[in-house]
Amino acid sequence: MQFQPAELLVQKGDTVVWINHDIVAHDITEQAGKLWASGPLAPGKSWSLVVTESSDYYCSIHVVMKGRLIVQ
Protein backbone atom coordinates (compact mmCIF):
# COMPACT_ATOMS: atom_id res chain seq x y z
CA MET A 1 0.00 0.00 0.00
CA GLN A 2 1.85 3.00 -1.32
CA PHE A 3 1.60 5.79 -3.84
CA GLN A 4 3.86 5.25 -6.83
CA PRO A 5 5.78 7.40 -7.25
CA ALA A 6 5.72 8.66 -3.68
CA GLU A 7 7.22 12.00 -4.77
CA LEU A 8 6.37 13.79 -8.00
CA LEU A 9 7.99 16.91 -9.49
CA VAL A 10 5.46 19.04 -11.36
CA GLN A 11 5.02 22.53 -12.76
CA LYS A 12 2.40 24.95 -11.43
CA GLY A 13 -0.77 24.39 -13.44
CA ASP A 14 0.01 20.75 -14.31
CA THR A 15 -2.80 18.23 -13.96
CA VAL A 16 -1.90 15.22 -11.83
CA VAL A 17 -4.01 12.08 -12.24
CA TRP A 18 -4.10 9.37 -9.58
CA ILE A 19 -5.33 5.95 -10.71
CA ASN A 20 -6.25 3.26 -8.22
CA HIS A 21 -4.53 0.07 -9.45
CA ASP A 22 -5.11 -1.71 -6.13
CA ILE A 23 -7.87 -4.19 -5.23
CA VAL A 24 -9.30 -1.96 -2.44
CA ALA A 25 -10.57 1.63 -2.31
CA HIS A 26 -8.19 4.51 -1.53
CA ASP A 27 -8.42 8.29 -1.45
CA ILE A 28 -6.06 11.23 -1.83
CA THR A 29 -6.24 13.88 0.91
CA GLU A 30 -4.06 16.98 1.27
CA GLN A 31 -2.29 16.59 4.60
CA ALA A 32 -1.67 20.03 6.16
CA GLY A 33 -5.10 21.65 6.00
CA LYS A 34 -7.27 19.06 4.25
CA LEU A 35 -7.62 21.66 1.45
CA TRP A 36 -8.55 19.03 -1.12
CA ALA A 37 -9.58 15.38 -1.15
CA SER A 38 -10.67 12.92 -3.78
CA GLY A 39 -13.24 10.95 -1.85
CA PRO A 40 -13.00 7.14 -2.01
CA LEU A 41 -11.72 5.74 -5.33
CA ALA A 42 -12.80 2.21 -6.14
CA PRO A 43 -10.33 -0.06 -7.92
CA GLY A 44 -9.80 1.13 -11.49
CA LYS A 45 -11.12 4.65 -10.82
CA SER A 46 -9.11 7.87 -11.11
CA TRP A 47 -9.09 11.43 -9.80
CA SER A 48 -7.25 14.51 -11.07
CA LEU A 49 -6.04 17.79 -9.59
CA VAL A 50 -4.60 20.94 -11.16
CA VAL A 51 -1.55 21.63 -9.01
CA THR A 52 -0.95 25.16 -7.74
CA GLU A 53 1.50 24.57 -4.89
CA SER A 54 3.67 21.90 -3.30
CA SER A 55 1.84 19.68 -0.85
CA ASP A 56 1.99 16.45 1.07
CA TYR A 57 -0.94 14.06 0.83
CA TYR A 58 -2.05 10.71 2.20
CA CYS A 59 -4.81 8.13 1.99
CA SER A 60 -7.21 8.77 4.86
CA ILE A 61 -8.42 5.17 4.59
CA HIS A 62 -4.89 3.73 4.89
CA VAL A 63 -2.87 6.43 6.67
CA VAL A 64 0.48 4.70 6.05
CA MET A 65 0.15 5.72 2.38
CA LYS A 66 1.83 9.09 1.91
CA GLY A 67 2.98 11.14 -1.05
CA ARG A 68 4.37 14.52 -1.99
CA LEU A 69 3.84 16.92 -4.89
CA ILE A 70 6.75 19.29 -5.47
CA VAL A 71 6.02 22.33 -7.64
CA GLN A 72 9.17 23.57 -9.39
Side-chain angles (χ1 to χ4, degrees), residues 7 10-13 20 23 26-31 34 38 43-44 49 60 65:
E7 188 171 280
V10 296
Q11 300 295 315
K12 185 175 183 177
N20 184 356
I23 60 172
H26 295 289
D27 69 11
I28 304 98
T29 303
E30 191 269 334
Q31 190 167 343
K34 314 295 186 276
S38 65
L49 174 73
S60 69
M65 295 177 61

mmCIF file of all heavy atoms in Angstrom, residues 7 10-13 20 23 26-31 34 38 43-44 49 60 65:
data_model
loop_
_atom_site.group_PDB
_atom_site.id
_atom_site.type_symbol
_atom_site.label_atom_id
_atom_site.label_comp_id
_atom_site.label_asym_id
_atom_site.label_seq_id
_atom_site.Cartn_x
_atom_site.Cartn_y
_atom_site.Cartn_z
ATOM 1 N N GLU A 7 6.879 10.582 -4.625
ATOM 2 C CA GLU A 7 7.218 11.996 -4.771
ATOM 3 C C GLU A 7 7.195 12.325 -6.255
ATOM 4 O O GLU A 7 7.738 11.573 -7.067
ATOM 5 C CB GLU A 7 8.608 12.247 -4.185
ATOM 6 C CG GLU A 7 8.989 13.699 -4.096
ATOM 7 C CD GLU A 7 10.278 13.883 -3.318
ATOM 8 O OE1 GLU A 7 10.228 13.858 -2.072
ATOM 9 O OE2 GLU A 7 11.312 14.033 -3.972
ATOM 10 N N VAL A 10 6.411 18.520 -10.383
ATOM 11 C CA VAL A 10 5.460 19.043 -11.358
ATOM 12 C C VAL A 10 5.659 20.549 -11.521
ATOM 13 O O VAL A 10 6.351 21.182 -10.724
ATOM 14 C CB VAL A 10 3.999 18.758 -10.925
ATOM 15 C CG1 VAL A 10 3.727 17.262 -10.877
ATOM 16 C CG2 VAL A 10 3.687 19.387 -9.584
ATOM 17 N N GLN A 11 5.031 21.088 -12.544
ATOM 18 C CA GLN A 11 5.018 22.531 -12.763
ATOM 19 C C GLN A 11 3.673 23.080 -12.285
ATOM 20 O O GLN A 11 2.649 22.389 -12.350
ATOM 21 C CB GLN A 11 5.193 22.850 -14.254
ATOM 22 C CG GLN A 11 6.491 22.336 -14.846
ATOM 23 C CD GLN A 11 7.704 23.012 -14.247
ATOM 24 O OE1 GLN A 11 7.739 24.226 -14.095
ATOM 25 N NE2 GLN A 11 8.701 22.215 -13.901
ATOM 26 N N LYS A 12 3.656 24.321 -11.832
ATOM 27 C CA LYS A 12 2.402 24.955 -11.430
ATOM 28 C C LYS A 12 1.448 24.941 -12.623
ATOM 29 O O LYS A 12 1.828 25.288 -13.732
ATOM 30 C CB LYS A 12 2.663 26.397 -10.971
ATOM 31 C CG LYS A 12 1.435 27.076 -10.434
ATOM 32 C CD LYS A 12 1.761 28.451 -9.887
ATOM 33 C CE LYS A 12 0.524 29.089 -9.290
ATOM 34 N NZ LYS A 12 0.832 30.379 -8.684
ATOM 35 N N GLY A 13 0.231 24.486 -12.390
ATOM 36 C CA GLY A 13 -0.773 24.392 -13.442
ATOM 37 C C GLY A 13 -0.861 23.021 -14.093
ATOM 38 O O GLY A 13 -1.780 22.766 -14.875
ATOM 39 N N ASN A 20 -6.291 4.324 -9.216
ATOM 40 C CA ASN A 20 -6.249 3.256 -8.217
ATOM 41 C C ASN A 20 -6.071 1.914 -8.929
ATOM 42 O O ASN A 20 -7.002 1.362 -9.495
ATOM 43 C CB ASN A 20 -7.525 3.247 -7.383
ATOM 44 C CG ASN A 20 -7.463 2.212 -6.279
ATOM 45 O OD1 ASN A 20 -6.509 1.455 -6.167
ATOM 46 N ND2 ASN A 20 -8.494 2.168 -5.461
ATOM 47 N N ILE A 23 -6.617 -3.409 -5.280
ATOM 48 C CA ILE A 23 -7.865 -4.187 -5.228
ATOM 49 C C ILE A 23 -8.833 -3.658 -4.173
ATOM 50 O O ILE A 23 -9.917 -4.218 -4.008
ATOM 51 C CB ILE A 23 -7.578 -5.685 -4.988
ATOM 52 C CG1 ILE A 23 -6.835 -5.895 -3.668
ATOM 53 C CG2 ILE A 23 -6.794 -6.279 -6.150
ATOM 54 C CD1 ILE A 23 -6.689 -7.356 -3.254
ATOM 55 N N HIS A 26 -9.125 3.570 -2.138
ATOM 56 C CA HIS A 26 -8.192 4.512 -1.534
ATOM 57 C C HIS A 26 -8.716 5.914 -1.794
ATOM 58 O O HIS A 26 -9.614 6.107 -2.608
ATOM 59 C CB HIS A 26 -6.791 4.387 -2.149
ATOM 60 C CG HIS A 26 -6.123 3.089 -1.899
ATOM 61 N ND1 HIS A 26 -5.648 2.716 -0.655
ATOM 62 C CD2 HIS A 26 -5.847 2.053 -2.731
ATOM 63 C CE1 HIS A 26 -5.111 1.518 -0.738
ATOM 64 N NE2 HIS A 26 -5.222 1.086 -1.988
ATOM 65 N N ASP A 27 -8.130 6.899 -1.122
ATOM 66 C CA ASP A 27 -8.417 8.292 -1.451
ATOM 67 C C ASP A 27 -7.114 9.078 -1.430
ATOM 68 O O ASP A 27 -6.068 8.549 -1.074
ATOM 69 C CB ASP A 27 -9.473 8.907 -0.528
ATOM 70 C CG ASP A 27 -9.008 9.106 0.897
ATOM 71 O OD1 ASP A 27 -7.809 8.971 1.192
ATOM 72 O OD2 ASP A 27 -9.854 9.418 1.751
ATOM 73 N N ILE A 28 -7.198 10.328 -1.841
ATOM 74 C CA ILE A 28 -6.057 11.229 -1.829
ATOM 75 C C ILE A 28 -6.497 12.472 -1.077
ATOM 76 O O ILE A 28 -7.437 13.153 -1.492
ATOM 77 C CB ILE A 28 -5.597 11.609 -3.246
ATOM 78 C CG1 ILE A 28 -5.275 10.358 -4.074
ATOM 79 C CG2 ILE A 28 -4.383 12.516 -3.187
ATOM 80 C CD1 ILE A 28 -6.381 9.939 -4.965
ATOM 81 N N THR A 29 -5.848 12.769 0.049
ATOM 82 C CA THR A 29 -6.237 13.883 0.908
ATOM 83 C C THR A 29 -5.021 14.751 1.196
ATOM 84 O O THR A 29 -3.996 14.237 1.649
ATOM 85 C CB THR A 29 -6.830 13.370 2.236
ATOM 86 O OG1 THR A 29 -7.945 12.523 1.947
ATOM 87 C CG2 THR A 29 -7.274 14.514 3.126
ATOM 88 N N GLU A 30 -5.136 16.046 0.962
ATOM 89 C CA GLU A 30 -4.061 16.981 1.275
ATOM 90 C C GLU A 30 -3.847 16.943 2.778
ATOM 91 O O GLU A 30 -4.799 16.950 3.554
ATOM 92 C CB GLU A 30 -4.439 18.397 0.807
ATOM 93 C CG GLU A 30 -3.313 19.398 0.849
ATOM 94 C CD GLU A 30 -3.234 20.148 2.159
ATOM 95 O OE1 GLU A 30 -4.268 20.279 2.846
ATOM 96 O OE2 GLU A 30 -2.138 20.618 2.499
ATOM 97 N N GLN A 31 -2.590 16.888 3.198
ATOM 98 C CA GLN A 31 -2.289 16.592 4.599
ATOM 99 C C GLN A 31 -2.398 17.795 5.531
ATOM 100 O O GLN A 31 -3.028 17.700 6.588
ATOM 101 C CB GLN A 31 -0.886 15.994 4.709
ATOM 102 C CG GLN A 31 -0.579 15.447 6.066
ATOM 103 C CD GLN A 31 0.681 14.591 6.067
ATOM 104 O OE1 GLN A 31 1.152 14.153 5.031
ATOM 105 N NE2 GLN A 31 1.205 14.348 7.241
ATOM 106 N N LYS A 34 -6.147 19.784 4.882
ATOM 107 C CA LYS A 34 -7.265 19.058 4.246
ATOM 108 C C LYS A 34 -7.932 19.961 3.206
ATOM 109 O O LYS A 34 -9.154 19.998 3.084
ATOM 110 C CB LYS A 34 -8.289 18.573 5.268
ATOM 111 C CG LYS A 34 -7.732 17.904 6.505
ATOM 112 C CD LYS A 34 -7.029 16.608 6.220
ATOM 113 C CE LYS A 34 -6.614 15.877 7.462
ATOM 114 N NZ LYS A 34 -5.373 16.278 8.058
ATOM 115 N N SER A 38 -10.029 13.579 -2.646
ATOM 116 C CA SER A 38 -10.671 12.925 -3.784
ATOM 117 C C SER A 38 -11.987 12.255 -3.430
ATOM 118 O O SER A 38 -12.816 12.046 -4.305
ATOM 119 C CB SER A 38 -9.743 11.849 -4.344
ATOM 120 O OG SER A 38 -9.563 10.808 -3.385
ATOM 121 N N PRO A 43 -11.338 0.471 -7.003
ATOM 122 C CA PRO A 43 -10.327 -0.056 -7.917
ATOM 123 C C PRO A 43 -10.657 0.296 -9.369
ATOM 124 O O PRO A 43 -11.802 0.199 -9.800
ATOM 125 C CB PRO A 43 -10.387 -1.567 -7.680
ATOM 126 C CG PRO A 43 -10.839 -1.683 -6.250
ATOM 127 C CD PRO A 43 -11.822 -0.565 -6.080
ATOM 128 N N GLY A 44 -9.629 0.760 -10.090
ATOM 129 C CA GLY A 44 -9.801 1.132 -11.491
ATOM 130 C C GLY A 44 -10.247 2.563 -11.722
ATOM 131 O O GLY A 44 -10.234 3.049 -12.846
ATOM 132 N N LEU A 49 -6.179 16.520 -10.292
ATOM 133 C CA LEU A 49 -6.044 17.787 -9.589
ATOM 134 C C LEU A 49 -5.112 18.688 -10.386
ATOM 135 O O LEU A 49 -4.048 18.238 -10.821
ATOM 136 C CB LEU A 49 -5.453 17.545 -8.193
ATOM 137 C CG LEU A 49 -5.113 18.782 -7.359
ATOM 138 C CD1 LEU A 49 -6.384 19.435 -6.844
ATOM 139 C CD2 LEU A 49 -4.191 18.405 -6.200
ATOM 140 N N SER A 60 -6.587 8.730 3.537
ATOM 141 C CA SER A 60 -7.209 8.767 4.862
ATOM 142 C C SER A 60 -7.813 7.419 5.254
ATOM 143 O O SER A 60 -8.134 7.204 6.413
ATOM 144 C CB SER A 60 -8.277 9.865 4.928
ATOM 145 O OG SER A 60 -9.394 9.529 4.126
ATOM 146 N N MET A 65 -0.116 5.308 3.766
ATOM 147 C CA MET A 65 0.147 5.716 2.383
ATOM 148 C C MET A 65 0.335 7.228 2.356
ATOM 149 O O MET A 65 -0.587 7.966 2.681
ATOM 150 C CB MET A 65 -1.014 5.315 1.468
ATOM 151 C CG MET A 65 -1.212 3.837 1.329
ATOM 152 S SD MET A 65 -2.637 3.430 0.299
ATOM 153 C CE MET A 65 -2.196 4.176 -1.264
#
